[in-house]
Amino acid sequence: REFAGKTAFVTGGASGIGFALGRAFAGAGMKVMLADIETHALSAAVKSLDNVGPGVNGVVCDVGDPASVERAAKAACDTFGNVHVVCNNAGVAAAGGIDNISLDNWRWVLDVNLFGVLYGIRTFLPHIRGHGEGGHFVNTASMAGMNGGLGFSPYVASKFAVVGMSEGLAMQLKPHGIGVTVLCPGYVRTRIGESGRNRPERYGATQPPDPASPAGRLLAEIAARLAAGLDPSEVAARVLAAIRGDELYVFTHPEMREDVEERFAAIMAAMDKPAGL
Ligand code: NAI
């Protein structure tokens, strides 16, 4: 697939993986619309890409609100014309665990990480099918969508769902010449650990777990792993290669394959159990 002259739309584009994707697309000659809920970070991100590529712009957007996603898509088309690559990448993390099951946390994380992806697909699919110039969806899941090792968590639930919906979407879009990639990174050095900064008021206040509780200890371990994680630009480079090669899965941490193997081994062993008691 040829990038130059085409247009990309990236949610969560003000920071981390989304920003790196935007920069990589611009560097490859694409026009780029960054969509994000964090206004100041978005302006700074757009400004920093001023001299990269044929045009980078930003639009404030809450991916948890379908009308906001539609407005952002219209802004992208009004500014740049047809959109070809859509990265449904915005995502947030909040504490899970069994000690304090917060419906606000579950609703927020699923609205952004799952429904946000759905709204992006629902909004852009008719547009891409309509213009007929080809297109590609990149949905950001996670290794947390491959193995439930983080425990009882809205984040894990959302990422498993994004993997499943992306597989189904790829199957159905193949005959239409529209590609789908599901991005499953391990730890990447971004601000995902500070997701609470962008939590809309409708989900109530952030409820950090007691640092001494199991959920609090897990959070500290995750923060350390994120700080030592992969550079987002490496993730972006893999995604561009996957779009070019029309690859469904992108994994960035081959050292985490054991986690996936363990899960499938347990599933296979359960399948091989004889029927009956
Ligand atoms: P980040 O926090 O640096 O960037 C996320 C961006 O999404 C931020 O700019 C934030 O303002 C934006 N955002 C949050 N809520 C939003 C909303 N309602 N509407 C629009 N934008 C919103 O974090 P990162 O890591 O770059 O996250 C990007 C994606 O990568 C997420 O889906 C995350 O779950 C996923 N991911 C991250 C990993 C990591 O280790 N950093 C590993 C695996 C997946």
Side-chain angles (χ1 to χ4, degrees):
R1 281 184 167 88
E2 189 53 52
F3 289 123
K6 300 269 176 68
T7 296
F9 179 91
V10 184
T11 68
S15 175
I17 295 171
F19 177 68
L21 284 170
R23 186 168 52 194
F25 289 136
M30 294 183 84
K31 294 169 276 183
V32 177
M33 182 61 89
L34 301 178
D36 204 285
I37 199 171
E38 193 174 359
T39 312
H40 297 300
L42 180 63
S43 323
V46 171
K47 207 164 171 199
S48 75
L49 297 180
D50 236 5
N51 299 318
V52 190
V56 177
N57 216 322
V59 60
V60 178
C61 167
D62 176 357
V63 300
D65 171 0
S68 177
V69 175
E70 276 171 31
R71 282 195 297 274
K74 186 174 181 315
C77 295
D78 289 349
T79 309
F80 293 129
N82 290 340
V83 173
H84 307 87
V85 174
V86 175
C87 298
N88 295 306
N89 165 80
V92 292
I98 54 170
D99 296 329
N100 178 16
I101 299 173
S102 157
L103 290 185
D104 279 340
N105 278 0
W106 275 79
R107 291 205 171 103
W108 174 44
V109 172
L110 287 168
D111 276 352
V112 177
N113 296 11
L114 172 56
F115 282 93
V117 175
L118 176 68
Y119 300 147
I121 293 163
R122 181 174 177 272
T123 300
F124 279 102
L125 186 51
H127 168 74
I128 292 176
R129 289 177 80 175
H131 68 55
E133 297 170 0
H136 202 101
F137 287 96
V138 178
N139 299 329
T140 302
S142 169
M143 284 304 288
M146 287 284 144
N147 175 292
L150 291 179
F152 184 65
S153 132
Y155 191 78
V156 169
S158 70
K159 297 305 187 180
F160 265 77
V162 169
V163 171
M165 79 200 277
S166 301
E167 290 173 349
L169 188 68
M171 194 192 299
Q172 296 201 337
L173 289 185
K174 205 173 178 60
H176 298 273
I178 300 170
V180 177
T181 291
V182 60
L183 171 60
C184 299
Y187 291 98
V188 185
R189 213 160 49 242
T190 72
R191 296 189 66 198
I192 188 88
E194 303 150 60
S195 293
R197 73 194 189 278
N198 293 311
R199 179 171 171 135
E201 270 176 27
R202 63 184 184 274
Y203 300 103
T206 305
Q207 302 158 21
D210 175 354
S213 72
R217 284 199 299 272
L218 179 64
L219 217 60
E221 192 189 314
I222 290 172
R225 289 189 183 199
L226 287 172
L230 198 63
D231 193 281
S233 63
E234 293 187 42
V235 178
R238 279 290 296 114
V239 170
L240 264 71
I243 297 173
R244 272 201 191 92
D246 197 11
E247 296 163 38
L248 175 56
Y249 301 105
V250 170
F251 295 107
T252 58
H253 290 65
E255 69 273 20
M256 292 174 90
R257 76 181 295 139
E258 272 175 25
D259 297 342
V260 180
E261 273 170 354
E262 254 173 40
R263 174 166 181 264
F264 277 104
I267 292 170
M268 292 308 143
M271 287 217 161
D272 292 339
K273 286 236 166 90
L277 291 176

